[in-house]
């Protein structure tokens, strides 16, 4: 029966009484929303933050795109779904690989479960790196802005997306990549009216522009307009983020970077350690593959305690943990992280070797993410919510729980779901 809640990864979800839209705004430090509302460029957001629910939540650490998007759509941490970075060292293959293949997923998504049960589901993501993960085993519409000119009915559940949206294929390094996501969401709601829709943007703007800056406010003004349209179409909307964003540079604008591979090579000799940066993906122009989280593979277990104590003394380090400590603290799969997990403090990034990072394309001082300092994110609903314990630690992967189980739908607007 469609009236019965669905259980996914140990959590129950009620059927939607009206369309539900969950939005993951990549890199959305809460200060971006506050600044845009204060500047008067985001009136819709300002209104729902008062009339609906405006909460704060913690994202998954490492505070990167893939682990957090997959946590949001599975309703579970990486220890359950297995995606603990954009990039990792596959011990079985003995290779460093992108973790964007669905074979690395260890849990199903809430999206796929509802689609299997008969709901109309749609997913639009900015970058194609996420598409196959988010749409894994999901019947419905799933496409990216990046490859919107290549959609087919067989692969994506839709065709002629460019005609539908009325925009050209945007550059992967542009605010328009995210705008295409929002425009697609509105057009899909108007024409297909999905029961459940997930929209995921890119943080190109957030890497370049601080909260309250003209570029940032322009981005949130654009977003505000599309969200208002989705609201007017009757959707229950929950907005969250995969991570926050912070400056990672000094007063002179030069990057604050610990090149950890160089440090370890200097201490112990070349090729003794392997430093992995889970932020690494094909799109490094705006961050140079520099974030605040890294894992280290040591030559043997006996080396680990001494290495940890020494790395702790490096200026700019916030946390240096064993694999077991990190897996427990951050709810990570222990077999997919290194022997040592390092997290730098708010204004510092971690690299491998200086020679391996091309920072020539950084047009503005480095802003990035990955650490505990980027863990706080917004969790906003356009409707009041009820039944959430005051003591509950909210997570960004509670977004679907908020939307389906706690959002208060006006009785006059509720549409019974047929059995």
């Amino acid at each position: 029966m469609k009236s019965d809640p669905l259980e996914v990864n140990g959590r129950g979800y009620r059927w939607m009484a009206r369309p539900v839209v969950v939005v993951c705004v990549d890199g959305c430090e809460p200060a971006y929303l506050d600044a845009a509302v204060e500047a008067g460029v985001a009136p819709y957001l300002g209104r729902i933050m008062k009339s609906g629910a405006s909460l704060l939540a913690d994202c998954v650490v490492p505070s990167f795109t893939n682990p957090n998007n997959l946590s949001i759509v599975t309703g579970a941490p990486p220890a359950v779904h297995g995606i603990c970075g954009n990039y990792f060292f596959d011990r079985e293959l003995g290779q460093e690989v992108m973790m964007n293949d669905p074979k690395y997923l260890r849990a199903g998504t809430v999206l796929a479960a509802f689609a299997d049960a008969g709901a109309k589901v749609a997913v639009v993501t900015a970058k194609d790196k996420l598409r196959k993960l988010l749409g894994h085993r999901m019947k419905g519409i799933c496409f990216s802005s990046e490859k919107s000119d290549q959609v087919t009915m067989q692969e994506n559940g839709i065709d002629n997306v460019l005609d539908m949206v009325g925009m050209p294929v945007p550059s992967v390094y542009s605010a328009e990549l995210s705008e295409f996501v929002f425009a697609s969401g509105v057009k899909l709601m108007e024409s297909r009216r999905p029961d459940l829709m997930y929209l995921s943007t890119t943080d190109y703007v957030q890497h370049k522009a601080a909260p309250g800056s003209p570029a940032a406010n322009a981005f949130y003004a654009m977003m505000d307009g599309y969200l208002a349209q989705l609201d007017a179409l009757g959707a229950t909307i929950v907005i969250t983020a995969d991570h926050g964003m912070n400056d990672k540079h000094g007063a002179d604008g030069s990057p604050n970077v610990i090149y950890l591979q160089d440090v370890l090579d200097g201490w112990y000799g070349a090729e003794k350690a392997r430093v992995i940066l889970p932020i690494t993906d094909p799109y490094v122009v705006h961050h140079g593959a520099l974030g605040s989280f890294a894992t280290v593979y040591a030559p043997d277990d006996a080396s680990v305690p001494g290495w940890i104590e020494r790395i702790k003394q490096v200026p700019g380090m916030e946390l240096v943990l064993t694999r077991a400590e990190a897996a427990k603290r951050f709810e990570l799969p222990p077999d997919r992280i290194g022997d040592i997990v390092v997290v730098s403090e708010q204004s510092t990034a971690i690299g491998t070797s200086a020679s391996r990072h091309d920072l020539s394309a950084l047009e503005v001082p480095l802003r990035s993410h990955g650490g505990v300092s980027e863990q706080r994110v917004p969790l906003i609903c356009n409707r009041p919510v009820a039944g959430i314990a005051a003591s509950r630690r909210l997570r960004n992967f509670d977004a679907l729980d908020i939307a389906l189980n706690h959002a208060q739908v006006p009785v006059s607007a509720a549409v019974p779901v047929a059995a």
Side-chain angles (χ1 to χ4, degrees), residues 248 256-261 275-277 279 288-296 316-319 341-345 348-352 357 366 369:
K248 307 289 181 182
N256 281 338
V257 185
I258 301 166
Y259 289 107
L260 191 56
Q261 187 71 61
V275 177
I276 298 293
L277 305 177
I279 193 174
L290 296 170
S292 290
F293 184 101
T295 66
V296 179
M317 285 298 182
E318 181 169 346
L319 293 170
V341 166
V342 296
V343 180
S344 57
E345 53 86 29
T348 303
I350 302 170
T352 54
H357 293 268
L366 179 66
H369 51 95

PDB file of all heavy atoms in Angstrom, residues 248 256-261 275-277 279 288-296 316-319 341-345 348-352 357 366 369:
ATOM      1  N   LYS A 248      41.135  29.783   2.915  1.00  0.00           N
ATOM      2  CA  LYS A 248      42.315  28.971   3.230  1.00  0.00           C
ATOM      3  C   LYS A 248      43.565  29.732   2.757  1.00  0.00           C
ATOM      4  O   LYS A 248      44.410  29.216   2.040  1.00  0.00           O
ATOM      5  CB  LYS A 248      42.244  27.598   2.535  1.00  0.00           C
ATOM      6  CG  LYS A 248      40.958  26.815   2.785  1.00  0.00           C
ATOM      7  CD  LYS A 248      40.844  26.289   4.200  1.00  0.00           C
ATOM      8  CE  LYS A 248      39.555  25.494   4.385  1.00  0.00           C
ATOM      9  NZ  LYS A 248      39.383  25.005   5.766  1.00  0.00           N
ATOM     10  N   ASN A 256      47.309  29.038   2.364  1.00  0.00           N
ATOM     11  CA  ASN A 256      47.897  28.385   3.544  1.00  0.00           C
ATOM     12  C   ASN A 256      47.804  26.884   3.324  1.00  0.00           C
ATOM     13  O   ASN A 256      46.721  26.305   3.461  1.00  0.00           O
ATOM     14  CB  ASN A 256      47.115  28.747   4.815  1.00  0.00           C
ATOM     15  CG  ASN A 256      47.458  30.108   5.352  1.00  0.00           C
ATOM     16  OD1 ASN A 256      48.512  30.646   5.069  1.00  0.00           O
ATOM     17  ND2 ASN A 256      46.560  30.677   6.148  1.00  0.00           N
ATOM     18  N   VAL A 257      48.891  26.249   2.975  1.00  0.00           N
ATOM     19  CA  VAL A 257      48.856  24.832   2.611  1.00  0.00           C
ATOM     20  C   VAL A 257      49.954  24.056   3.338  1.00  0.00           C
ATOM     21  O   VAL A 257      51.112  24.484   3.366  1.00  0.00           O
ATOM     22  CB  VAL A 257      49.047  24.632   1.088  1.00  0.00           C
ATOM     23  CG1 VAL A 257      48.879  23.153   0.725  1.00  0.00           C
ATOM     24  CG2 VAL A 257      48.052  25.478   0.302  1.00  0.00           C
ATOM     25  N   ILE A 258      49.562  22.928   3.914  1.00  0.00           N
ATOM     26  CA  ILE A 258      50.522  21.953   4.422  1.00  0.00           C
ATOM     27  C   ILE A 258      50.702  20.899   3.334  1.00  0.00           C
ATOM     28  O   ILE A 258      49.763  20.152   3.043  1.00  0.00           O
ATOM     29  CB  ILE A 258      50.009  21.270   5.707  1.00  0.00           C
ATOM     30  CG1 ILE A 258      49.732  22.285   6.805  1.00  0.00           C
ATOM     31  CG2 ILE A 258      50.999  20.203   6.180  1.00  0.00           C
ATOM     32  CD1 ILE A 258      48.909  21.727   7.962  1.00  0.00           C
ATOM     33  N   TYR A 259      51.846  20.859   2.719  1.00  0.00           N
ATOM     34  CA  TYR A 259      52.114  19.830   1.702  1.00  0.00           C
ATOM     35  C   TYR A 259      52.614  18.585   2.424  1.00  0.00           C
ATOM     36  O   TYR A 259      53.807  18.389   2.629  1.00  0.00           O
ATOM     37  CB  TYR A 259      53.099  20.356   0.660  1.00  0.00           C
ATOM     38  CG  TYR A 259      52.493  21.412  -0.236  1.00  0.00           C
ATOM     39  CD1 TYR A 259      52.840  22.752  -0.114  1.00  0.00           C
ATOM     40  CD2 TYR A 259      51.527  21.071  -1.187  1.00  0.00           C
ATOM     41  CE1 TYR A 259      52.260  23.728  -0.920  1.00  0.00           C
ATOM     42  CE2 TYR A 259      50.937  22.035  -2.000  1.00  0.00           C
ATOM     43  CZ  TYR A 259      51.306  23.358  -1.854  1.00  0.00           C
ATOM     44  OH  TYR A 259      50.719  24.312  -2.658  1.00  0.00           O
ATOM     45  N   LEU A 260      51.647  17.771   2.823  1.00  0.00           N
ATOM     46  CA  LEU A 260      51.935  16.683   3.767  1.00  0.00           C
ATOM     47  C   LEU A 260      52.820  15.598   3.174  1.00  0.00           C
ATOM     48  O   LEU A 260      53.633  15.006   3.890  1.00  0.00           O
ATOM     49  CB  LEU A 260      50.616  16.093   4.269  1.00  0.00           C
ATOM     50  CG  LEU A 260      50.714  15.126   5.450  1.00  0.00           C
ATOM     51  CD1 LEU A 260      51.417  15.755   6.637  1.00  0.00           C
ATOM     52  CD2 LEU A 260      49.323  14.644   5.851  1.00  0.00           C
ATOM     53  N   GLN A 261      52.668  15.304   1.893  1.00  0.00           N
ATOM     54  CA  GLN A 261      53.545  14.297   1.281  1.00  0.00           C
ATOM     55  C   GLN A 261      55.009  14.769   1.336  1.00  0.00           C
ATOM     56  O   GLN A 261      55.909  13.989   1.647  1.00  0.00           O
ATOM     57  CB  GLN A 261      53.139  14.036  -0.165  1.00  0.00           C
ATOM     58  CG  GLN A 261      53.887  12.874  -0.825  1.00  0.00           C
ATOM     59  CD  GLN A 261      53.477  11.510  -0.284  1.00  0.00           C
ATOM     60  OE1 GLN A 261      52.324  11.125  -0.385  1.00  0.00           O
ATOM     61  NE2 GLN A 261      54.420  10.782   0.303  1.00  0.00           N
ATOM     62  N   VAL A 275      49.943   9.830   0.739  1.00  0.00           N
ATOM     63  CA  VAL A 275      48.921  10.783   1.178  1.00  0.00           C
ATOM     64  C   VAL A 275      47.825  10.847   0.120  1.00  0.00           C
ATOM     65  O   VAL A 275      48.102  11.060  -1.061  1.00  0.00           O
ATOM     66  CB  VAL A 275      49.520  12.179   1.402  1.00  0.00           C
ATOM     67  CG1 VAL A 275      48.421  13.176   1.778  1.00  0.00           C
ATOM     68  CG2 VAL A 275      50.593  12.138   2.490  1.00  0.00           C
ATOM     69  N   ILE A 276      46.586  10.655   0.541  1.00  0.00           N
ATOM     70  CA  ILE A 276      45.428  10.692  -0.354  1.00  0.00           C
ATOM     71  C   ILE A 276      44.557  11.889   0.013  1.00  0.00           C
ATOM     72  O   ILE A 276      44.243  12.101   1.192  1.00  0.00           O
ATOM     73  CB  ILE A 276      44.591   9.391  -0.234  1.00  0.00           C
ATOM     74  CG1 ILE A 276      45.420   8.170  -0.650  1.00  0.00           C
ATOM     75  CG2 ILE A 276      43.316   9.489  -1.074  1.00  0.00           C
ATOM     76  CD1 ILE A 276      45.787   8.130  -2.113  1.00  0.00           C
ATOM     77  N   LEU A 277      44.162  12.646  -0.999  1.00  0.00           N
ATOM     78  CA  LEU A 277      43.284  13.800  -0.800  1.00  0.00           C
ATOM     79  C   LEU A 277      41.906  13.470  -1.356  1.00  0.00           C
ATOM     80  O   LEU A 277      41.696  13.484  -2.570  1.00  0.00           O
ATOM     81  CB  LEU A 277      43.849  15.027  -1.521  1.00  0.00           C
ATOM     82  CG  LEU A 277      45.285  15.416  -1.159  1.00  0.00           C
ATOM     83  CD1 LEU A 277      45.731  16.601  -1.994  1.00  0.00           C
ATOM     84  CD2 LEU A 277      45.410  15.730   0.332  1.00  0.00           C
ATOM     85  N   ILE A 279      39.321  15.143  -1.680  1.00  0.00           N
ATOM     86  CA  ILE A 279      38.652  16.211  -2.426  1.00  0.00           C
ATOM     87  C   ILE A 279      38.889  16.071  -3.923  1.00  0.00           C
ATOM     88  O   ILE A 279      38.161  16.627  -4.744  1.00  0.00           O
ATOM     89  CB  ILE A 279      39.145  17.607  -1.963  1.00  0.00           C
ATOM     90  CG1 ILE A 279      38.226  18.709  -2.511  1.00  0.00           C
ATOM     91  CG2 ILE A 279      40.598  17.844  -2.369  1.00  0.00           C
ATOM     92  CD1 ILE A 279      38.545  20.107  -1.996  1.00  0.00           C
ATOM     93  N   GLY A 288      42.266  23.650  -6.818  1.00  0.00           N
ATOM     94  CA  GLY A 288      43.593  23.057  -6.922  1.00  0.00           C
ATOM     95  C   GLY A 288      43.759  21.744  -6.186  1.00  0.00           C
ATOM     96  O   GLY A 288      44.871  21.350  -5.822  1.00  0.00           O
ATOM     97  N   ALA A 289      42.641  21.028  -5.938  1.00  0.00           N
ATOM     98  CA  ALA A 289      42.641  19.764  -5.180  1.00  0.00           C
ATOM     99  C   ALA A 289      43.153  19.951  -3.751  1.00  0.00           C
ATOM    100  O   ALA A 289      43.719  19.037  -3.157  1.00  0.00           O
ATOM    101  CB  ALA A 289      43.437  18.677  -5.905  1.00  0.00           C
ATOM    102  N   LEU A 290      42.924  21.127  -3.194  1.00  0.00           N
ATOM    103  CA  LEU A 290      43.348  21.433  -1.827  1.00  0.00           C
ATOM    104  C   LEU A 290      42.126  21.549  -0.923  1.00  0.00           C
ATOM    105  O   LEU A 290      41.238  22.377  -1.158  1.00  0.00           O
ATOM    106  CB  LEU A 290      44.129  22.742  -1.792  1.00  0.00           C
ATOM    107  CG  LEU A 290      45.457  22.756  -2.552  1.00  0.00           C
ATOM    108  CD1 LEU A 290      46.002  24.175  -2.634  1.00  0.00           C
ATOM    109  CD2 LEU A 290      46.467  21.831  -1.894  1.00  0.00           C
ATOM    110  N   GLY A 291      42.060  20.716   0.092  1.00  0.00           N
ATOM    111  CA  GLY A 291      40.998  20.768   1.082  1.00  0.00           C
ATOM    112  C   GLY A 291      41.579  20.557   2.463  1.00  0.00           C
ATOM    113  O   GLY A 291      42.802  20.532   2.638  1.00  0.00           O
ATOM    114  N   SER A 292      40.723  20.392   3.454  1.00  0.00           N
ATOM    115  CA  SER A 292      41.193  20.299   4.844  1.00  0.00           C
ATOM    116  C   SER A 292      41.111  18.900   5.431  1.00  0.00           C
ATOM    117  O   SER A 292      41.066  18.744   6.652  1.00  0.00           O
ATOM    118  CB  SER A 292      40.401  21.281   5.722  1.00  0.00           C
ATOM    119  OG  SER A 292      40.771  22.601   5.414  1.00  0.00           O
ATOM    120  N   PHE A 293      41.112  17.884   4.578  1.00  0.00           N
ATOM    121  CA  PHE A 293      41.006  16.500   5.058  1.00  0.00           C
ATOM    122  C   PHE A 293      41.903  15.629   4.187  1.00  0.00           C
ATOM    123  O   PHE A 293      41.895  15.751   2.956  1.00  0.00           O
ATOM    124  CB  PHE A 293      39.561  16.023   4.962  1.00  0.00           C
ATOM    125  CG  PHE A 293      39.288  14.631   5.507  1.00  0.00           C
ATOM    126  CD1 PHE A 293      38.731  14.466   6.761  1.00  0.00           C
ATOM    127  CD2 PHE A 293      39.575  13.500   4.751  1.00  0.00           C
ATOM    128  CE1 PHE A 293      38.446  13.193   7.257  1.00  0.00           C
ATOM    129  CE2 PHE A 293      39.303  12.231   5.236  1.00  0.00           C
ATOM    130  CZ  PHE A 293      38.740  12.077   6.502  1.00  0.00           C
ATOM    131  N   ALA A 294      42.674  14.757   4.813  1.00  0.00           N
ATOM    132  CA  ALA A 294      43.523  13.828   4.061  1.00  0.00           C
ATOM    133  C   ALA A 294      43.675  12.531   4.839  1.00  0.00           C
ATOM    134  O   ALA A 294      43.457  12.490   6.062  1.00  0.00           O
ATOM    135  CB  ALA A 294      44.901  14.439   3.799  1.00  0.00           C
ATOM    136  N   THR A 295      44.010  11.474   4.131  1.00  0.00           N
ATOM    137  CA  THR A 295      44.325  10.211   4.786  1.00  0.00           C
ATOM    138  C   THR A 295      45.747   9.815   4.409  1.00  0.00           C
ATOM    139  O   THR A 295      46.233  10.129   3.320  1.00  0.00           O
ATOM    140  CB  THR A 295      43.349   9.086   4.405  1.00  0.00           C
ATOM    141  OG1 THR A 295      43.504   8.766   3.021  1.00  0.00           O
ATOM    142  CG2 THR A 295      41.914   9.493   4.653  1.00  0.00           C
ATOM    143  N   VAL A 296      46.408   9.117   5.332  1.00  0.00           N
ATOM    144  CA  VAL A 296      47.810   8.728   5.145  1.00  0.00           C
ATOM    145  C   VAL A 296      47.938   7.220   5.294  1.00  0.00           C
ATOM    146  O   VAL A 296      47.434   6.632   6.262  1.00  0.00           O
ATOM    147  CB  VAL A 296      48.717   9.423   6.187  1.00  0.00           C
ATOM    148  CG1 VAL A 296      50.174   8.996   5.990  1.00  0.00           C
ATOM    149  CG2 VAL A 296      48.571  10.935   6.100  1.00  0.00           C
ATOM    150  N   GLY A 316      48.927  24.222  12.056  1.00  0.00           N
ATOM    151  CA  GLY A 316      47.755  24.208  11.190  1.00  0.00           C
ATOM    152  C   GLY A 316      46.947  22.936  11.259  1.00  0.00           C
ATOM    153  O   GLY A 316      45.863  22.863  10.678  1.00  0.00           O
ATOM    154  N   MET A 317      47.435  21.921  11.968  1.00  0.00           N
ATOM    155  CA  MET A 317      46.678  20.677  12.107  1.00  0.00           C
ATOM    156  C   MET A 317      45.670  20.795  13.251  1.00  0.00           C
ATOM    157  O   MET A 317      45.996  21.291  14.329  1.00  0.00           O
ATOM    158  CB  MET A 317      47.614  19.491  12.390  1.00  0.00           C
ATOM    159  CG  MET A 317      48.387  19.011  11.189  1.00  0.00           C
ATOM    160  SD  MET A 317      47.286  18.407   9.886  1.00  0.00           S
ATOM    161  CE  MET A 317      48.500  17.887   8.663  1.00  0.00           C
ATOM    162  N   GLU A 318      44.440  20.338  13.003  1.00  0.00           N
ATOM    163  CA  GLU A 318      43.414  20.352  14.039  1.00  0.00           C
ATOM    164  C   GLU A 318      43.228  18.981  14.664  1.00  0.00           C
ATOM    165  O   GLU A 318      43.099  18.852  15.879  1.00  0.00           O
ATOM    166  CB  GLU A 318      42.079  20.832  13.462  1.00  0.00           C
ATOM    167  CG  GLU A 318      40.964  20.904  14.489  1.00  0.00           C
ATOM    168  CD  GLU A 318      39.721  21.622  13.979  1.00  0.00           C
ATOM    169  OE1 GLU A 318      39.793  22.288  12.933  1.00  0.00           O
ATOM    170  OE2 GLU A 318      38.674  21.510  14.642  1.00  0.00           O
ATOM    171  N   LEU A 319      43.191  17.924  13.839  1.00  0.00           N
ATOM    172  CA  LEU A 319      42.999  16.560  14.325  1.00  0.00           C
ATOM    173  C   LEU A 319      43.924  15.611  13.580  1.00  0.00           C
ATOM    174  O   LEU A 319      44.086  15.730  12.363  1.00  0.00           O
ATOM    175  CB  LEU A 319      41.553  16.106  14.103  1.00  0.00           C
ATOM    176  CG  LEU A 319      40.445  16.790  14.892  1.00  0.00           C
ATOM    177  CD1 LEU A 319      39.085  16.372  14.338  1.00  0.00           C
ATOM    178  CD2 LEU A 319      40.546  16.441  16.373  1.00  0.00           C
ATOM    179  N   VAL A 341      44.198   9.610   9.706  1.00  0.00           N
ATOM    180  CA  VAL A 341      43.325  10.631   9.136  1.00  0.00           C
ATOM    181  C   VAL A 341      43.732  11.981   9.722  1.00  0.00           C
ATOM    182  O   VAL A 341      43.862  12.114  10.949  1.00  0.00           O
ATOM    183  CB  VAL A 341      41.847  10.335   9.421  1.00  0.00           C
ATOM    184  CG1 VAL A 341      40.973  11.547   9.126  1.00  0.00           C
ATOM    185  CG2 VAL A 341      41.387   9.137   8.603  1.00  0.00           C
ATOM    186  N   VAL A 342      43.958  12.968   8.855  1.00  0.00           N
ATOM    187  CA  VAL A 342      44.377  14.285   9.313  1.00  0.00           C
ATOM    188  C   VAL A 342      43.362  15.327   8.858  1.00  0.00           C
ATOM    189  O   VAL A 342      42.850  15.281   7.739  1.00  0.00           O
ATOM    190  CB  VAL A 342      45.790  14.649   8.813  1.00  0.00           C
ATOM    191  CG1 VAL A 342      46.817  13.689   9.392  1.00  0.00           C
ATOM    192  CG2 VAL A 342      45.869  14.634   7.302  1.00  0.00           C
ATOM    193  N   VAL A 343      43.076  16.270   9.745  1.00  0.00           N
ATOM    194  CA  VAL A 343      42.145  17.364   9.474  1.00  0.00           C
ATOM    195  C   VAL A 343      42.838  18.663   9.854  1.00  0.00           C
ATOM    196  O   VAL A 343      43.306  18.808  10.991  1.00  0.00           O
ATOM    197  CB  VAL A 343      40.843  17.209  10.278  1.00  0.00           C
ATOM    198  CG1 VAL A 343      39.885  18.354   9.971  1.00  0.00           C
ATOM    199  CG2 VAL A 343      40.176  15.858   9.981  1.00  0.00           C
ATOM    200  N   SER A 344      42.907  19.593   8.926  1.00  0.00           N
ATOM    201  CA  SER A 344      43.547  20.878   9.225  1.00  0.00           C
ATOM    202  C   SER A 344      42.532  21.867   9.780  1.00  0.00           C
ATOM    203  O   SER A 344      41.321  21.695   9.646  1.00  0.00           O
ATOM    204  CB  SER A 344      44.225  21.442   7.979  1.00  0.00           C
ATOM    205  OG  SER A 344      43.313  21.594   6.913  1.00  0.00           O
ATOM    206  N   GLU A 345      43.039  22.916  10.404  1.00  0.00           N
ATOM    207  CA  GLU A 345      42.151  23.907  11.015  1.00  0.00           C
ATOM    208  C   GLU A 345      41.559  24.824   9.943  1.00  0.00           C
ATOM    209  O   GLU A 345      41.881  24.729   8.773  1.00  0.00           O
ATOM    210  CB  GLU A 345      42.890  24.690  12.105  1.00  0.00           C
ATOM    211  CG  GLU A 345      44.191  25.318  11.675  1.00  0.00           C
ATOM    212  CD  GLU A 345      43.993  26.673  11.064  1.00  0.00           C
ATOM    213  OE1 GLU A 345      43.027  27.389  11.417  1.00  0.00           O
ATOM    214  OE2 GLU A 345      44.807  27.042  10.202  1.00  0.00           O
ATOM    215  N   THR A 348      43.490  26.609   6.957  1.00  0.00           N
ATOM    216  CA  THR A 348      44.604  25.856   6.374  1.00  0.00           C
ATOM    217  C   THR A 348      44.092  24.699   5.531  1.00  0.00           C
ATOM    218  O   THR A 348      43.135  24.016   5.907  1.00  0.00           O
ATOM    219  CB  THR A 348      45.522  25.304   7.483  1.00  0.00           C
ATOM    220  OG1 THR A 348      45.979  26.398   8.293  1.00  0.00           O
ATOM    221  CG2 THR A 348      46.723  24.586   6.904  1.00  0.00           C
ATOM    222  N   ALA A 349      44.742  24.483   4.390  1.00  0.00           N
ATOM    223  CA  ALA A 349      44.426  23.349   3.518  1.00  0.00           C
ATOM    224  C   ALA A 349      45.586  22.359   3.542  1.00  0.00           C
ATOM    225  O   ALA A 349      46.694  22.673   3.989  1.00  0.00           O
ATOM    226  CB  ALA A 349      44.180  23.829   2.093  1.00  0.00           C
ATOM    227  N   ILE A 350      45.304  21.154   3.042  1.00  0.00           N
ATOM    228  CA  ILE A 350      46.316  20.095   2.985  1.00  0.00           C
ATOM    229  C   ILE A 350      46.528  19.693   1.532  1.00  0.00           C
ATOM    230  O   ILE A 350      45.561  19.494   0.783  1.00  0.00           O
ATOM    231  CB  ILE A 350      45.875  18.860   3.802  1.00  0.00           C
ATOM    232  CG1 ILE A 350      45.603  19.242   5.258  1.00  0.00           C
ATOM    233  CG2 ILE A 350      46.928  17.759   3.729  1.00  0.00           C
ATOM    234  CD1 ILE A 350      44.945  18.135   6.072  1.00  0.00           C
ATOM    235  N   GLY A 351      47.783  19.573   1.136  1.00  0.00           N
ATOM    236  CA  GLY A 351      48.125  19.079  -0.193  1.00  0.00           C
ATOM    237  C   GLY A 351      49.017  17.861  -0.090  1.00  0.00           C
ATOM    238  O   GLY A 351      49.374  17.421   1.006  1.00  0.00           O
ATOM    239  N   THR A 352      49.362  17.312  -1.228  1.00  0.00           N
ATOM    240  CA  THR A 352      50.332  16.209  -1.241  1.00  0.00           C
ATOM    241  C   THR A 352      51.724  16.816  -1.364  1.00  0.00           C
ATOM    242  O   THR A 352      52.319  17.214  -0.385  1.00  0.00           O
ATOM    243  CB  THR A 352      50.029  15.224  -2.384  1.00  0.00           C
ATOM    244  OG1 THR A 352      49.949  15.932  -3.630  1.00  0.00           O
ATOM    245  CG2 THR A 352      48.726  14.486  -2.137  1.00  0.00           C
ATOM    246  N   HIS A 357      50.434  20.132  -7.374  1.00  0.00           N
ATOM    247  CA  HIS A 357      49.261  21.009  -7.345  1.00  0.00           C
ATOM    248  C   HIS A 357      49.494  22.211  -8.242  1.00  0.00           C
ATOM    249  O   HIS A 357      50.396  23.020  -7.996  1.00  0.00           O
ATOM    250  CB  HIS A 357      48.966  21.477  -5.915  1.00  0.00           C
ATOM    251  CG  HIS A 357      48.530  20.373  -5.005  1.00  0.00           C
ATOM    252  ND1 HIS A 357      47.207  20.041  -4.820  1.00  0.00           N
ATOM    253  CD2 HIS A 357      49.251  19.518  -4.246  1.00  0.00           C
ATOM    254  CE1 HIS A 357      47.136  19.029  -3.967  1.00  0.00           C
ATOM    255  NE2 HIS A 357      48.358  18.691  -3.607  1.00  0.00           N
ATOM    256  N   LEU A 366      42.479  31.336  -2.224  1.00  0.00           N
ATOM    257  CA  LEU A 366      41.905  30.000  -2.038  1.00  0.00           C
ATOM    258  C   LEU A 366      40.817  29.977  -0.973  1.00  0.00           C
ATOM    259  O   LEU A 366      41.000  30.444   0.137  1.00  0.00           O
ATOM    260  CB  LEU A 366      43.018  29.016  -1.656  1.00  0.00           C
ATOM    261  CG  LEU A 366      42.596  27.563  -1.386  1.00  0.00           C
ATOM    262  CD1 LEU A 366      42.078  26.894  -2.661  1.00  0.00           C
ATOM    263  CD2 LEU A 366      43.761  26.762  -0.809  1.00  0.00           C
ATOM    264  N   HIS A 369      37.245  23.515   1.609  1.00  0.00           N
ATOM    265  CA  HIS A 369      36.437  22.817   2.607  1.00  0.00           C
ATOM    266  C   HIS A 369      37.025  21.432   2.854  1.00  0.00           C
ATOM    267  O   HIS A 369      38.055  21.079   2.307  1.00  0.00           O
ATOM    268  CB  HIS A 369      34.994  22.702   2.107  1.00  0.00           C
ATOM    269  CG  HIS A 369      34.888  22.132   0.722  1.00  0.00           C
ATOM    270  ND1 HIS A 369      34.666  20.807   0.462  1.00  0.00           N
ATOM    271  CD2 HIS A 369      34.998  22.721  -0.504  1.00  0.00           C
ATOM    272  CE1 HIS A 369      34.635  20.605  -0.845  1.00  0.00           C
ATOM    273  NE2 HIS A 369      34.833  21.747  -1.459  1.00  0.00           N
TER     274      HIS A 369
END
